């Protein structure tokens, strides 16, 4: 079982995924070394997984093919399936279409 530390009491040399990313690193396949628990009132504690910084590997560089694939994925998230235009923002999944298309829909009749 991994070691468990309380919030802000983890030893040096351990970092979360976000902290590794800020350093230009990634876990690189290593297992979780420890957990960081942040207590909350009346709820379960927040848990963050910690990795060893000395075993972390550098982030892989962005290749041209990966950049094209990422751009295509983001374009798909911005394209409204109803009017097929680029909304300029990521379409909310709760609406399923851009806000102008959602606002022009006729009101639904609730079935009894």
């Amino acid at each position: 079982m991994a070691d468990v530390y309380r919030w802000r009491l983890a030893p040096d040399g351990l970092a979360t995924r976000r902290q590794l990313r800020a350093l230009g690193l990634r876990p690189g396949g290593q297992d979780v070394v420890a957990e960081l628990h942040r207590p909350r009132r009346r709820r379960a504690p927040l848990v963050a997984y910690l990795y060893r910084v000395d075993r972390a590997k550098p982030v892989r560089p962005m290749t041209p093919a990966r950049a094209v694939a990422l751009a295509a994925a983001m374009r798909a998230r911005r394209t409204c399936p109803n009017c097929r235009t680029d909304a300029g923002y990521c379409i909310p999944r709760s609406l399923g279409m851009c806000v102008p298309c959602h606002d022009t829909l006729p009101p639904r009749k609730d079935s009894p």
Side-chain angles (χ1 to χ4, degrees):
M1 180 171 158
D3 295 333
V4 177
Y5 298 102
R6 286 184 56 87
W7 185 249
R8 298 184 189 259
L9 296 178
D12 291 336
L14 299 180
T16 63
R17 283 183 177 267
R18 283 189 179 195
Q19 291 168 337
L20 288 176
R21 188 61 181 218
L23 297 171
L25 301 171
R26 61 186 169 96
Q30 65 175 301
D31 291 330
V32 173
V33 176
E35 291 181 1
L36 188 67
H37 286 213
R38 180 179 180 194
R40 300 188 298 172
R41 294 179 194 218
R42 298 185 196 105
R43 290 187 282 178
L46 291 175
V47 177
Y49 300 109
L50 300 174
Y51 302 90
R52 288 182 47 173
V53 176
D54 59 345
R55 288 189 184 170
K57 295 180 181 177
V59 174
R60 293 184 186 119
M62 181 67 72
T63 63
R66 286 176 66 194
V68 169
L70 181 62
M74 291 306 294
R75 190 171 42 256
R77 289 182 66 191
R78 289 191 317 264
T79 303
C80 176
N82 196 26
C83 64
R84 295 283 181 203
T85 59
D86 187 341
Y89 53 88
C90 289
I91 304 294
R93 291 178 58 186
S94 60
L95 301 179
M97 61 187 75
C98 64
V99 175
C101 286
H102 182 266
D103 290 345
T104 59
L105 287 177
R108 283 191 307 171
K109 295 180 182 177
D110 291 334
S111 58

